[in-house]
Amino acid sequence: MTFTIGCHLSCSKGYENMAREAASIGANTFQFFTRNPRGGKAKDIDPADIAAFNRLAEEAGINTILAHAPYTLNPASAKPETREFAIQTLADDLMRMENTPNQMYNMHPGAHVGQGVDKGIELIAEALDQVLLPEQTTTLLLETMAGKGSEIGGKFEELAQIIERVDLSEHVGVCLDTCHIWDGGYDIVDSLDEVLEDFDKVIGLDRLKAIHLNDSKNPLASHKDRHEVIGGGQIGLDALVAVTEHPALCELPFFLETPHNELVGYAEEISLIRSKREKE
Ligand code: FE
Ligand code: FE
Ligand code: ZN
């Protein structure tokens, strides 16, 4: 079994460049924003870039990639024009994803901004019903959140309720962010087994498709969402390595979203995690 690990990369120089960067830091997967993370227009997809990416990805053993929606989208907004913008962007991104078929697209579910959790869940499910298509090959992932402000997705139950409401739920999965669930109150340091049992009972581990591997600057249940470098935060290196080795998780792709300004920081983290795993 291959351990699949990578990090968040800049998409500004295209797909081939991301594959080259990933390979250069010992990664065999990567995550990228489909467009400016604050929204805005996406760059046109260049078929030559996709072809070059496909060749390089095969050479480098990159089988999985994960796109991330702009984090400013809010399909649960109280404003119809904000919801409509989210739906247009998600639909456009999902269409673009079909240029690299059978991959994954991650989004933050949204924030109910005072309308209440139930209303938020209803609006998110409605938006997903508008953007998911039966023939699409992309799996849309809902990210587990820290429960900051009126964010939806800080509890496994909220994600389960969204998925239950979506017609084409076979196209929907979950991306688990270790910093977010720790901040949300799930103790993955002392009770990883119990947290995963809970996830399985509420959502189903078959829905879990990717892990964001981040340390957290803040203590358990702080609801803050401030990522820290691996081993530099409150979760710690050992607990994060244990996440990558857990039998229910070890075959999933892992994505670092830790604060680094340079690729070398990610390269060091990837080799650190690989070396810790090899010692087992
Ligand atoms: Fe995210
Ligand atoms: Fe994340
Ligand atoms: Zn985060």
Side-chain angles (χ1 to χ4, degrees):
M1 192 197 67
T2 320
F3 176 48
T4 307
I5 185 163
C7 66
H8 191 92
L9 294 175
S10 163
C11 63
S12 62
K13 292 185 200 144
Y15 283 81
E16 183 191 14
N17 190 65
M18 290 191 284
R20 186 171 298 123
E21 284 187 350
S24 79
I25 57 171
N28 51 2
T29 187
F30 59 88
Q31 175 178 264
F32 60 103
F33 285 123
T34 50
R35 59 187 77 216
N36 183 308
R38 300 198 165 277
K41 200 178 157 0
K43 247 176 50 186
D44 285 337
I45 298 236
D46 171 6
D49 180 36
I50 297 285
F53 163 76
N54 287 336
R55 282 192 300 271
L56 191 53
E58 191 171 349
E59 262 173 50
I62 297 171
N63 302 312
T64 302
I65 58 174
L66 175 60
H68 196 307
Y71 47 70
T72 48
L73 297 185
N74 188 10
S77 172
K79 295 187 191 136
E81 62 274 22
T82 305
R83 293 201 300 272
E84 190 50 38
F85 178 72
I87 289 166
Q88 296 298 329
T89 305
L90 293 170
D92 185 49
D93 277 354
L94 286 172
M95 228 169 58
R96 295 157 54 84
M97 285 301 292
E98 295 299 313
N99 288 292
T100 51
N102 302 302
Q103 298 297 349
M104 303 184 293
Y105 176 75
N106 175 62
M107 66 178 282
H108 296 180
H112 66 71
V113 289
Q115 301 174 94
V117 173
D118 291 345
K119 182 68 185 174
I121 286 170
E122 189 187 310
L123 289 171
I124 294 162
E126 265 175 33
L128 296 187
D129 277 342
Q130 290 198 52
V131 301
L132 295 173
L133 300 170
E135 65 274 19
Q136 94 186 25
T137 68
T138 305
T139 302
L140 182 143
L141 306 185
L142 297 169
E143 183 166 355
T144 60
M145 302 307 291
K148 196 171 68 178
S150 71
E151 241 170 35
I152 310 259
K155 297 195 177 76
F156 297 158
E157 284 77 4
E158 295 172 0
L159 296 181
Q161 285 172 44
I162 297 170
I163 296 167
E164 265 163 38
R165 283 171 170 268
V166 173
D167 288 334
L168 295 172
S169 62
E170 64 271 27
H171 294 311
V172 182
V174 172
C175 173
L176 185 150
D177 186 307
T178 54
C179 168
H180 294 178
I181 68 167
W182 168 260
D183 284 20
Y186 293 97
D187 187 354
I188 54 173
V189 174
D190 287 327
S191 311
L192 180 61
D193 282 336
E194 288 80 352
V195 170
L196 294 176
E197 275 164 34
D198 189 21
F199 187 101
D200 194 33
K201 230 181 294 160
V202 175
I203 300 177
L205 281 168
D206 55 327
R207 294 268 183 199
L208 184 53
K209 304 296 182 194
I211 307 282
H212 284 169
L213 194 69
N214 302 310
D215 213 327
S216 172
K217 286 195 194 300
N218 291 292
L220 182 68
S222 58
H223 303 291
K224 286 272 183 27
D225 189 3
R226 300 278 313 281
H227 301 192
E228 184 52 279
V229 297
I230 300 297
Q234 305 270 332
I235 300 174
L237 177 60
D238 290 349
L240 290 166
V241 170
V243 166
T244 71
E245 290 181 314
H246 194 285
L249 309 178
C250 59
E251 292 188 41
L252 296 171
F254 294 86
F255 301 89
L256 300 164
E257 298 176 311
T258 44
H260 295 292
N261 297 322
E262 308 261 359
L263 280 177
V264 62
Y266 285 124
E268 284 168 10
E269 276 184 338
I270 290 169
S271 87
L272 173 66
I273 292 163
R274 286 191 192 280
S275 72
K276 283 281 172 184
R277 285 171 53 92
E278 280 161 13
K279 276 188 196 133
E280 298 299 312

PDB file of all heavy atoms in Angstrom, residues 68 106 108 143 212, ligand 1:
ATOM      1  N   HIS A  68      -9.792  22.759  -4.075  1.00  0.00           N
ATOM      2  CA  HIS A  68     -10.477  23.406  -2.945  1.00  0.00           C
ATOM      3  C   HIS A  68     -11.248  24.606  -3.477  1.00  0.00           C
ATOM      4  O   HIS A  68     -10.694  25.442  -4.183  1.00  0.00           O
ATOM      5  CB  HIS A  68      -9.442  23.838  -1.898  1.00  0.00           C
ATOM      6  CG  HIS A  68     -10.017  24.165  -0.552  1.00  0.00           C
ATOM      7  ND1 HIS A  68     -11.046  25.060  -0.377  1.00  0.00           N
ATOM      8  CD2 HIS A  68      -9.714  23.702   0.687  1.00  0.00           C
ATOM      9  CE1 HIS A  68     -11.346  25.138   0.912  1.00  0.00           C
ATOM     10  NE2 HIS A  68     -10.554  24.320   1.589  1.00  0.00           N
ATOM     11  N   ASN A 106     -13.165  19.888  -2.764  1.00  0.00           N
ATOM     12  CA  ASN A 106     -13.530  20.114  -1.371  1.00  0.00           C
ATOM     13  C   ASN A 106     -14.110  21.520  -1.166  1.00  0.00           C
ATOM     14  O   ASN A 106     -13.623  22.491  -1.740  1.00  0.00           O
ATOM     15  CB  ASN A 106     -12.264  19.955  -0.509  1.00  0.00           C
ATOM     16  CG  ASN A 106     -12.487  20.289   0.942  1.00  0.00           C
ATOM     17  OD1 ASN A 106     -13.272  19.647   1.623  1.00  0.00           O
ATOM     18  ND2 ASN A 106     -11.804  21.322   1.415  1.00  0.00           N
ATOM     19  N   HIS A 108     -15.973  24.285   1.966  1.00  0.00           N
ATOM     20  CA  HIS A 108     -16.493  24.571   3.300  1.00  0.00           C
ATOM     21  C   HIS A 108     -18.010  24.661   3.148  1.00  0.00           C
ATOM     22  O   HIS A 108     -18.480  25.383   2.264  1.00  0.00           O
ATOM     23  CB  HIS A 108     -15.931  25.893   3.822  1.00  0.00           C
ATOM     24  CG  HIS A 108     -14.444  25.864   4.018  1.00  0.00           C
ATOM     25  ND1 HIS A 108     -13.733  26.936   4.477  1.00  0.00           N
ATOM     26  CD2 HIS A 108     -13.541  24.869   3.820  1.00  0.00           C
ATOM     27  CE1 HIS A 108     -12.444  26.607   4.562  1.00  0.00           C
ATOM     28  NE2 HIS A 108     -12.302  25.365   4.156  1.00  0.00           N
ATOM     29  N   GLU A 143     -16.080  19.736   3.995  1.00  0.00           N
ATOM     30  CA  GLU A 143     -14.998  19.723   4.982  1.00  0.00           C
ATOM     31  C   GLU A 143     -15.556  19.848   6.401  1.00  0.00           C
ATOM     32  O   GLU A 143     -16.460  20.646   6.660  1.00  0.00           O
ATOM     33  CB  GLU A 143     -14.017  20.873   4.688  1.00  0.00           C
ATOM     34  CG  GLU A 143     -12.825  20.888   5.637  1.00  0.00           C
ATOM     35  CD  GLU A 143     -11.683  21.783   5.165  1.00  0.00           C
ATOM     36  OE1 GLU A 143     -11.757  22.329   4.056  1.00  0.00           O
ATOM     37  OE2 GLU A 143     -10.710  21.918   5.936  1.00  0.00           O
ATOM     38  N   HIS A 212      -7.176  16.512   5.795  1.00  0.00           N
ATOM     39  CA  HIS A 212      -6.307  17.687   5.903  1.00  0.00           C
ATOM     40  C   HIS A 212      -5.512  17.504   7.183  1.00  0.00           C
ATOM     41  O   HIS A 212      -6.091  17.493   8.276  1.00  0.00           O
ATOM     42  CB  HIS A 212      -7.123  18.975   5.980  1.00  0.00           C
ATOM     43  CG  HIS A 212      -7.688  19.407   4.662  1.00  0.00           C
ATOM     44  ND1 HIS A 212      -8.629  20.403   4.544  1.00  0.00           N
ATOM     45  CD2 HIS A 212      -7.411  19.000   3.398  1.00  0.00           C
ATOM     46  CE1 HIS A 212      -8.914  20.587   3.262  1.00  0.00           C
ATOM     47  NE2 HIS A 212      -8.201  19.738   2.544  1.00  0.00           N
TER      48      HIS A 212
HETATM   49 FE    FE B   1     -10.565  24.207   3.862  1.00  0.00          FE
END
